[in-house]
Each structure stands twice: as C-alpha cells, then as structure tokens.
Amino acid sequence: ALHAGVSAIVTDGWPMNELIDDGHNGLLVPATQTGWFHMAPTWEVAPQSLANAMVRLATNPTLLQRLRCPSPGELAARQ
C-alpha cells in the first residue's frame, strides 16, 4: 500500500506494528492473535475497529495526505 501511494490500515500485531507507526505512516487497528500459520501469527480485527479507521481516513483529508507514501518528487518538494 505504501509504495502504491495508498494509506495503510493494518493490525497492531507483529510484524505490521513494527513497520507502521500509528498516525505517522499508517493507522494501526487493535487485533487479537487467533493462532499461527506457517510460523507466523494470525490476527483477527473487530469489523467496527477497521470501519472506524476507514471513516477516519475518509473524513480527514489532511490525515489522508500525510499518511500517503509520497513519490520521490513530492518528497523532495516537502524538504
């Protein structure tokens, strides 16, 4: 998502919580670990939590713009 310029909404479980800093480069939603699959944890998210994160992005253009991964040209223009 980040490389496509799309804001990321991910679970707050490992490993995504190590890649995304909530409110800085994406949004983290609370998740519960439900098991393991091929040595990686599986997570379950409450649908309302995911919906709240989507609504938060959809209704806050400033946040949406900030969470997008900028193109190289946009990044240079910001500095």
Side-chain angles (χ1 to χ4, degrees), residues 2-70:
L2 294 175
H3 289 290
V6 178
S7 302
I9 300 174
V10 302
T11 64
D12 65 355
W14 182 85
M16 297 311 296
N17 62 353
E18 293 186 10
L19 301 171
I20 300 297
D21 182 14
D22 190 43
H24 178 71
N25 62 346
L27 295 178
L28 295 173
V29 293
T32 304
Q33 185 175 347
T34 58
W36 291 85
F37 181 75
H38 292 285
M39 297 179 56
T42 57
W43 302 94
E44 187 170 297
V45 175
Q48 191 60 49
S49 295
L50 185 57
N52 289 343
M54 290 181 197
V55 169
R56 185 175 167 203
L57 279 179
T59 60
N60 189 336
T62 303
L63 178 65
L64 181 62
Q65 179 66 26
R66 190 176 78 235
L67 296 183
R68 278 189 341 103
C69 184

